[in-house]
Amino acid sequence: MGIAAIKKRKNYKGLGTDFMPTKEQLKWDKYCIENDIRISPWPVSQGLNPEEWRVAVSLGSDYKTIYKTPNTYFADEIWQEVYKTKKYYYDKHTK
């Protein structure tokens, strides 16, 4: 998505907190935390209310290397993508 295609949304307030994970998603979250897999939203731009986000993954106990997805997501999509990534790591290591 190019810069010209991005339009500021009216009443945008940054990363939403209205997403509630399911019990299954909490299981993936717990697994990742217990196994030193940190997955979280990462803002594309600096500022008070960034509109675009990437999924960031850091593996191991030092968390120095952060891998970010090439795709960007708006605030209303990012939590679903974060949990898809957590599910990927959960499935990869438990099956």
Side-chain angles (χ1 to χ4, degrees):
M1 181 180 298
I3 298 293
I6 299 171
K7 294 182 182 178
K8 291 276 184 187
R9 296 179 182 189
K10 290 184 180 183
N11 301 322
Y12 178 74
K13 299 212 185 323
L15 188 60
T17 58
D18 57 346
F19 178 81
M20 294 298 294
T22 64
K23 287 184 181 182
E24 187 76 9
Q25 290 170 326
L26 290 173
K27 180 172 76 172
W28 306 333
D29 189 45
K30 182 179 178 189
Y31 173 83
C32 289
I33 291 169
E34 290 174 348
N35 290 281
D36 292 325
I37 303 169
R38 301 294 189 248
I39 302 170
S40 64
W42 187 276
V44 172
S45 62
Q46 293 183 351
L48 189 57
N49 295 317
E51 290 195 14
E52 287 189 298
W53 300 82
R54 296 183 192 277
V55 177
V57 179
S58 183
L59 306 170
S61 60
D62 63 358
Y63 311 116
K64 288 184 180 179
T65 304
I66 300 171
Y67 303 96
K68 291 172 255 176
T69 60
N71 297 340
T72 60
Y73 306 96
F74 288 111
D76 56 352
E77 308 167 311
I78 189 63
W79 287 113
Q80 289 83 3
E81 295 302 321
V82 165
Y83 279 95
K84 281 182 188 176
T85 306
K86 290 179 182 191
K87 181 182 186 317
Y88 167 79
Y89 281 97
Y90 177 84
D91 289 346
K92 179 178 177 180
H93 296 284
T94 59
K95 297 194 180 205

